[in-house]
Amino acid sequence: MKETVLSQSLRRLFAGGACAGLAMLALPAQAQQEQAAAPIQRVEITGSSIKRIAAEGALPVTVMTAAAIRESGVTSAADLVKKLSTVQGSTGESASVGGSSFGFSGISIHNVGETRTLVLLNGKRLAQFGGQTLTGFAAGFDLNSIPLSAIDRVELLTDGASALYGADAIAGVVNFITKHDRTDGDVTIGYSHPQNGAYEKRLSATKGFGSLDTDGYNVMLTFGHDERTKLGSVDRSFANTGKVDFSANGKRYRKQQFSASPIPANALDDQGQLISPYQKTTGACPAKTFRVIEPYNDGSGLADDYCGYDFVRDLEIFPERKRDNFMASATAKYAGQELFADIMLSKSTQVSRIAPVPGSISIAAGSPLAVKYLQPIGITGDSLAFYRLFDMGPRTSNDEAQFASLVLGSRGVIAGWDYSASYNFSESKVKGNISGYPGALAVKALTSGGLLDPFVGPGQQSAAAQAAIKAATYSGYWDGGISKLHSLTANGSHELMRMEGGGLMLGVGANINRESFASRPSLFAQGKLADPAAGVLCGGALECDQRFGDPASSLPYDASRTSQGLFAELVIPVYKTLELGTALRYDHYSDFGSATTAKASFKWTPKPTLMIRGSIGNGFHAPTVPQVNAIQQGYGVTSEKYTCTPALQAVADAHNALCQPGNRQYDELAGGNAELKPEKSRQATLGFRFEPVSYITLGADLWHVQIRDTFGQLTEQVVFADPARYAKSWGSLVDIGTGKNYLAFLADNQNLGKSYATGIDYEITGRYRSPIGLLTSQLNMTRMLREVSQLQRDGAYYSAIGNFAELGAVTFRNQGHWSNTLKTGKWTNTLAINFKSGYRDQETTVDVLDAAGNVTGQEDIRKEVGFYSTIDWQAVWAPNKTWSATIGVLNLTNKAPPFVPSTSGANRGQQFGYDDRYYDARGRTAYFNASYKF
């Protein structure tokens, strides 16, 4: 085999540690001045079953070495993906604060979707997250399970629908490849220090035993542990309150994010308006609240005037977290073949806290509470008190995610065939524990019995009431799930004949997968307990209770599916300068029938310094097991608050339900849909790699993905804007505490229509041998050209590029990473810039202020969020081959996230003042790592 100048440069570049968006290692200044090239070995590259020379494929594969990852400053696989220009739309840990993500961290290539991005470990599929929801959220692999210290390299295939791994990899494939056949050892300790919280300490150790070549066996052991403290919203000036004044469009505005359930409680007056008895009698709002005046938009002239609770001050931006990972890989030679076994175990736990639980309490006319607090201010009828049970303490989620994987297999060469055959079992088990929640009937009993007084402040309840509140607190298991995958796979490749350009290569393979999911809500979550705190079952005269302020009706279910796949792949070297590729895959699902998908590709090298490549193919993606089989149930509340307009009232009447009083959040319902159709896609890429001179490498890949019958849910903003048009998106839910049946938003799974996405991934690398050392500069950027989606079949198309609106998320037009590394002597210094373009925020209603700060009216605005960038610096000192020390600073200038007044969005946490999905709130973070190799 003979390498071209370009492929040789690319192979050396990959071996040296360069990667898309994460190039940190020095590269040769001039290829022609190098010594003789290292021996060329055929290796299996992600996206193909055929072993061949790395860097010579027709598909866009990005390689990130362990050295490049280590020198980037990232400390986990979840942090790693944030550095990649090709990754957008991934879920981060902050979504777990006030949400139900159980700490899930995923990856989405090109914002095509986490569920459409396939994550592999050593080329093997992994079980989906056990905490995935029935809407498809978190139906991917949790990156917290990956032991970064065990990783030898990561390969990112940005072309979708792999014949080798499955037609469901519509967005692409991320393959984490672990270390093997090594005898060295490594112990690394590290510490990260942001300001006022989120401190992290870590320890990892890796050791190999035995050499395959000399001993006939090898065992690799890896262990990693890390801990992080919490970071509270009050520790960041841009996120420490729900009341923010700001300027835009030449005006002064105010945005208030709050809850209508404070302490002391708000109440409804006889006209149905929400008022604060405390404010009416004292003339001021209580602590931790601010005054809210909200005119109705129904033409009645009425307005709510109450005290809103500033729950933002109680949030945690980053929860406490602990992670442990262990991996053991064993390989042995037997009868000329390699027998291998891989075991991976991981456990992640995190604790997050939000404001004490809010809810509503019925206050009957003439009751002691009504006589004492409501009648003196003119409320004579029945009322509702909107109260926060502050004395019960914060709502706390203690989530645990365990992952286990076992792979047994054999690989080698038999009769001229490179083959690999394996059995893989993996399991993701998630357990969510809660505290700080009572039952709604328990709170009702406390109030009707005269113990609980919702109109007094924190700590002012009687001793008997305090004891009763404590006794009513539920603490224990709440919800979780188990996801399992059994897989048998076999594939091989063989040279069929010699052609002018080389060997005609054939790859074939087959797989059988058995995946299952079990939803395991607690009896409390199912609504089957009469006394949740004591664990007493309901039935007969004992009424079933549900969670106060957040009713639950989760139901357990088990579901599974089996799938089989066959594929064949050809690499055809027509000439030395032209290579063609083709692949065909057949899949059969036990619940969705059969699908045949194909891919064709080419690689043309008209000159040694230029390569042009491209591909075209189609894909098939079945819905997840929960998306099809889950039983309809309560699914939290809407992210926004809504006023009962006449149109909304008409829908409520049709469901024999009530609108929420005033401006309130509405309950949500969700469930599986057995009528869902699979998603079908088409993908294409066209790119080049060009080395005009030995010290500059240029590259770009144009990519396109189109999907029909996309999975999703209508966004609440779209449905509430036109309630009558979406008549099937409504239901009702009874508030156990008050017995009232309220209108609820139904976020059911649907095939929404079509989506199209097109963009370009750029790479520019320069190398210069200066008098003081080797300087390497690399720019990686993704530019989105087009992204449009339908929210219903045959409906209008909407775009999220630079636009946070109908789709509930943002796709950044430009996103990238520019790194500059100077290697001189024993030191390596890197300065990197991370950047993303701006966007228009979601339309938000804000108060208009005059020069004195008085509210003069309200206005709907769409704030322009500007270009955002941060600078990272790192220095590595390696005095010898044994020791190395790294110091660095992330976000060197301590740049705060941009302010946004919007509050909703898909997979967004409860944070306010910035969008936690796109910006890191830790600010300037100093870190230190020290490694000892032996």
Side-chain angles (χ1 to χ4, degrees), residues 502-558:
L504 174 65
M505 301 294 295
L506 169 68
V508 295
N511 69 271
I512 301 175
N513 296 329
R514 175 71 174 179
E515 58 180 306
S516 62
F517 181 80
S519 173
R520 291 292 179 263
S522 65
L523 292 175
F524 188 16
Q526 296 178 53
K528 292 185 176 181
L529 296 178
D531 185 343
V536 178
L537 291 171
C538 58
L542 298 177
E543 187 177 356
C544 296
D545 203 354
Q546 292 186 12
R547 199 161 64 174
F548 175 66
D550 186 11
S553 54
S554 301
L555 297 174
Y557 64 91
D558 294 78

Side-chain angles (χ1 to χ4, degrees), residues 366-445:
S367 65
L369 289 174
V371 171
K372 183 176 181 180
Y373 296 104
L374 302 184
Q375 287 184 10
I377 58 174
I379 301 177
T380 59
D382 292 340
S383 182
L384 283 177
F386 296 92
Y387 176 59
R388 187 166 300 271
L389 202 52
F390 194 89
D391 294 313
M392 190 167 279
R395 286 168 287 173
T396 302
S397 296
N398 192 329
D399 300 321
E400 178 182 295
Q402 299 180 21
F403 184 82
S405 173
L406 170 66
V407 179
L408 302 172
S410 174
R411 58 183 171 240
V413 179
I414 295 181
W417 285 80
D418 281 305
Y419 81 94
S420 177
S422 63
Y423 163 73
N424 176 25
F425 167 75
S426 56
E427 177 185 78
S428 174
K429 183 182 298 184
V430 169
K431 299 177 181 178
N433 298 286
I434 62 171
S435 62
Y437 291 87
L441 293 179
V443 175
K444 182 179 180 180

Side-chain angles (χ1 to χ4, degrees), residues 553-569:
S553 54
S554 301
L555 297 174
Y557 64 91
D558 294 78
S560 62
R561 73 157 57 105
T562 302
S563 62
Q564 300 92 30
L566 299 171
F567 75 88
E569 177 184 7

